[in-house]
Amino acid sequence: EDAIILFEREMKEFRTKLKNIYGTELINQTLVLRDSCKESLKVLSEKWSKKLKEEDLMINKIQEYNNEILQQNQRISENQEHLTEIKSNRNQEEEQNKDLTDSIQELREELMKKKEIICSKNQAAKERMEQLCKSKVLFEERLGLKICRIHNEQLQFIFRHIDHKDPNKPYVFTLSINDEGDYEVTSCTPPLDCIAEFQLKVRETNNFYAFVANIRKAFAALSCK
């Protein structure tokens, strides 16, 4: 528009000069030429204006596409980071599951060993208890002894006919099988100083009959004091 205004002003000046020099006819030709140029400039201006608008739209579209691409790249980057984190967590979980599985297997094996040991000890204790029960009649007949099964799978041995002054006076000791499968005296009435020695000896020799006989002899010796 500035160029058109400038052009019109120059044309007016030119027309004035021409009018003074060549007259009206040339001026009219010049006016026709001016109008033609003006129309051409107007058409050209509209054309370029339209083209500029199209280019602006294209630039805006390109900018939108670029922004969308940037957003997509950002989302892809975030997804990749998230995927990496998921893979890392999965690897850690797999390692933890493996460690847990190994620990469970070790615990199972250890539990099986303990069960086998316990079963073996229980079997040994059961066999010893059965042996003691089978010996009950023999002890009662020969040593005046009564054997009772009491709480916690313990056996109570009650001697009588030891004290001549009081034949019915009881002399008692209680026997159990400990976790190691050994004989263990848990109580003794009246107490005997030599009970620990007898207990150690029966563990070494496994001669239970001699063990019971020695305790009876110790009770008898105690009654004579």
Side-chain angles (χ1 to χ4, degrees):
E1 292 178 356
D2 292 339
I4 292 173
I5 293 172
L6 179 61
F7 178 77
E8 288 179 348
R9 189 171 59 194
E10 292 177 350
M11 288 298 294
K12 286 179 180 180
E13 294 176 356
F14 182 67
R15 182 183 61 184
T16 302
K17 291 179 180 180
L18 286 178
K19 185 177 180 181
N20 295 330
I21 299 173
Y22 299 102
T24 304
E25 183 179 358
L26 184 59
I27 291 173
N28 290 334
Q29 293 178 358
T30 304
L31 289 175
V32 171
L33 179 62
R34 183 201 66 177
D35 292 338
S36 177
C37 291
K38 185 177 180 181
E39 185 66 23
S40 297
L41 288 173
K42 182 179 180 181
V43 172
L44 185 62
S45 176
E46 291 176 354
K47 181 179 179 180
W48 280 105
S49 177
K50 182 178 180 181
K51 197 169 193 64
L52 288 173
K53 289 180 180 179
E54 291 176 353
E55 289 179 353
D56 289 339
L57 291 175
M58 183 64 69
I59 290 173
N60 292 334
K61 283 289 184 181
I62 292 173
Q63 187 64 40
E64 290 178 1
Y65 291 151
N66 288 334
N67 293 336
E68 185 176 353
I69 291 172
L70 289 175
Q71 293 177 358
Q72 290 179 352
N73 289 336
Q74 185 176 358
R75 287 195 293 269
I76 291 172
S77 179
E78 292 175 354
N79 291 335
Q80 287 178 344
E81 292 178 358
H82 185 58
L83 180 60
T84 302
E85 183 178 356
I86 291 175
K87 288 182 178 180
S88 178
N89 292 335
R90 186 180 65 181
N91 292 335
Q92 292 179 358
E93 290 177 356
E94 289 177 353
E95 292 178 359
Q96 291 176 354
N97 289 336
K98 185 178 182 301
D99 293 340
L100 183 59
T101 302
D102 294 341
S103 298
I104 291 174
Q105 184 62 29
E106 291 177 0
L107 289 175
R108 284 179 177 174
E109 294 176 356
E110 184 177 354
L111 181 60
M112 289 299 296
K113 291 179 181 179
K114 288 183 178 180
K115 283 184 176 180
E116 292 176 358
I117 294 173
I118 291 173
C119 290
S120 177
K121 289 182 178 180
N122 289 341
Q123 183 63 28
K126 183 178 179 180
E127 292 176 356
R128 289 194 177 186
M129 279 298 184
E130 290 177 354
Q131 182 181 3
L132 293 177
C133 291
K134 290 178 182 179
S135 304
K136 177 181 177 181
V137 177
L138 176 64
F139 287 137
E140 289 179 350
E141 290 178 352
R142 297 188 180 183
L143 302 176
L145 173 65
K146 182 179 180 180
I147 303 175
C148 302
R149 186 188 294 271
I150 60 175
H151 61 279
N152 295 331
E153 295 298 324
Q154 297 185 96
L155 292 179
Q156 190 177 67
F157 294 75
I158 305 173
F159 293 99
R160 300 185 188 277
H161 307 296
I162 290 180
D163 190 346
H164 297 292
K165 298 177 182 180
D166 186 3
N168 289 324
K169 180 181 178 179
Y171 290 78
V172 183
F173 76 93
T174 303
L175 187 70
S176 68
I177 306 296
N178 61 21
D179 294 338
E180 285 72 30
D182 297 325
Y183 295 112
E184 183 175 352
V185 177
T186 57
S187 66
C188 183
T189 306
L192 295 174
D193 295 335
C194 56
I195 196 70
E197 179 184 350
F198 293 160
Q199 181 176 267
L200 180 60
K201 190 171 183 179
V202 72
R203 291 177 180 178
E204 294 175 351
T205 63
N206 204 30
N207 190 339
F208 186 74
Y209 299 101
F211 170 68
V212 175
N214 287 332
I215 291 179
R216 189 179 189 283
K217 289 179 183 179
F219 280 143
L222 184 63
S223 69
C224 295
K225 292 183 179 180

